Amino acid sequence: MLLLLHPVGLDHDCWRFTGLDAITPDYPGHGGRDFDPDRYSLASIADEIADTHDGRFDVVGLSMGSHVAQYLAVRHPQRVRSLLLCCGSLGGTPETAAAITTDDRADETRELGMAGILDSTLRRWFTPELLARPDHRALVYTRDRLLTDNVEAVAASWLAIRRNAVADELAGLRVPTTVLGGRADSAATPDRVLRLALAIPHSRLEIIDGPHMLQLERPDDFAAAVRRHLDWAAA
């Protein structure tokens, strides 16, 4: 059973261009769901997913989803058949470019609102070539989604990423794990993706062409990478 875990601020629709048949849950505060800031963390999201879906998963998490996937694998190892961590990083490290931390990103979200951070978010997530095509389906979806987001849920998500505390436990993972990055990713840069791969014994590293939102800008290439992971994990 394939499980796809979405980035901060997006929802289950971010996977629609990939053609992958999967379970695609929304986190609290995303996709129109209610949000309780007192009960929101990577652990609570992972626990909810484990509690509301049966069986074992081939877990694919992208950006924030990669952090949720780490928690799912650490807290519910019996439920994870394989793990694909995409465009992510080790816990507690910045998920954004340069020296901007996730704490800064949370403050900026609260101060400026979703409209105020829209342009900088799009520049961080997509290539200049795609941004030059404002009617592209990936940009239309992303703009519409971000502009209707719950500001507090997005800010809390940045803080949740910062509080990822399972980095030291990744060395104990015993499931087939691939770490995937985008060559043009300015958020989870290839060197940051490499550090995540090195923290997981026997993991497989793959870097493909594309930016942070691989599933939106390069959906076919992303889906092909998922299938390669599933074939490798099954073998």
Side-chain angles (χ1 to χ4, degrees), residues 171-193:
L173 293 182
R174 293 295 181 267
V175 297
T177 301
T178 295
V179 178
L180 177 69
R183 197 164 280 115
D185 191 343
S186 63
T189 56
D191 64 313
R192 192 170 295 158
V193 170

Side-chain angles (χ1 to χ4, degrees), residues 4-197:
L4 303 178
L5 302 175
H6 64 75
V8 59
L10 301 185
D11 64 3
H12 62 278
D13 267 352
C14 79
W15 310 107
R16 62 181 168 178
F17 308 128
T18 67
L20 295 169
D21 183 16
I23 297 170
T24 57
D26 290 331
Y27 313 144
H30 292 72
R33 288 193 60 191
D34 291 339
F35 175 66
D36 181 354
D38 295 327
R39 302 181 63 186
Y40 189 77
S41 66
L42 297 174
S44 68
I45 296 170
D47 291 348
E48 179 188 78
I49 292 168
D51 290 343
T52 54
H53 297 88
D54 296 326
R56 298 182 70 213
F57 310 120
D58 292 297
V59 182
V60 178
L62 193 147
S63 193
M64 178 180 175
S66 73
H67 292 272
V68 177
Q70 291 171 40
Y71 267 73
L72 191 58
V74 166
R75 292 172 68 87
H76 304 277
Q78 73 282 4
R79 304 295 303 282
V80 177
R81 182 166 50 201
S82 73
L83 194 60
L84 175 54
L85 304 176
C86 311
C87 302
S89 59
L90 282 171
T93 61
E95 192 75 0
T96 53
I100 299 175
T101 69
T102 47
D103 293 338
D104 297 328
R105 194 64 67 196
D107 291 341
E108 181 183 56
T109 300
R110 289 189 172 115
E111 178 182 353
L112 301 178
M114 297 310 299
I117 67 168
L118 179 64
D119 288 345
S120 62
T121 300
L122 296 179
R123 288 194 300 271
R124 197 168 63 250
W125 283 2
F126 298 103
T127 63
E129 291 76 18
L130 190 78
L131 293 175
R133 302 166 60 192
D135 294 330
H136 189 282
R137 61 185 185 176
L139 289 179
V140 172
Y141 156 74
T142 305
R143 281 196 302 265
D144 290 348
R145 179 67 269 167
L146 291 177
L147 289 174
T148 55
D149 271 340
N150 181 318
V151 170
E152 284 303 315
V154 173
S157 295
W158 288 118
L159 296 177
I161 292 169
R162 186 64 168 173
R163 294 168 184 150
N164 181 340
V166 297
D168 291 341
E169 298 179 66
L170 298 181
L173 293 182
R174 293 295 181 267
V175 297
T177 301
T178 295
V179 178
L180 177 69
R183 197 164 280 115
D185 191 343
S186 63
T189 56
D191 64 313
R192 192 170 295 158
V193 170
L194 173 61
R195 288 197 293 272
L196 175 59

